[in-house]
Amino acid sequence: DAKTTQPPSMDCAEGRAANLPCNHSTISGNEYVYWYRQIHSQGPQYIIHGLKNNETNEMASLIITEDRKSSTLILPHATLRDTAVYYCIVRAMGGKLIFGQGTELSVKP
Amino acid sequence: GAGVSQSPSNKVTEKGKDVELRCDPISGHTALYWYRQRLGQGLEFLIYFQGNSAPDKSGLPSDRFSAERTGESVSTLTIQRTQQEDSAVYLCASSLRGVGNTGELFFGEGSRLTVL
């Protein structure tokens, strides 16, 4: 599976959009981009995933660049409850989810 | 229950003892995964089940670790002769379909193991 690179930490003001970047320059054509988050002392929670097109659900939006070498997870109106570690994962067909170190997002009042 | 259930939620044991950790996946989920998370670290993949068979055991750290799944449901992770470095949260996840699809993983709350 392709490796991903994320900043170790980010801050965001409550109510503002949180934009979490992820680089996956070695991604293959059949690999999906997944985002999970882990709130302290809880199991990881699925957020969103995509292949080529941008995706949106009730939690977030996923913007994937045209060359698919990077993506951005957008939380449109961050709340204090969004404070968590966010993991960007690329997953091949037949592959398993390999978690990196993620980005620790702190939403501040 | 509606989610993945793990037990015990906390386990304290002495070095050298054996422990068993249990995972009840979401009903109907054919794929089941075990991960380990040491304090302040990311998740390490341990093993994956599709049905009752384990096509990927590549993450098991040593032969002291084993896992089984029966009835395409409950899974047990067994750690023999525990060592202090086994202290971690052990997380189980299940998925409606197995590896090779886009199904999301649903995680339990984990079993926290402390080896004294």
Side-chain angles (χ1 to χ4, degrees), chain A residues 49-68:
Chain A
H49 76 277
L51 182 63
K52 296 180 181 179
N53 299 322
N54 298 337
E55 302 287 345
T56 296
N57 63 21
E58 65 278 6
M59 290 182 69
S61 295
L62 174 61
I63 308 298
I64 303 174
T65 58
E66 192 168 345
D67 64 7
R68 303 209 324 123

Side-chain angles (χ1 to χ4, degrees), chain B residues 2 11 18 22-24 33 47 61 76 81 89 96 101:
Chain B
K11 175 73 175 178
D18 297 351
R22 176 188 169 106
C23 174
D24 284 272
Y33 307 77
I47 188 170
T76 302
R81 305 181 302 283
V89 175
L96 185 58
N101 65 80

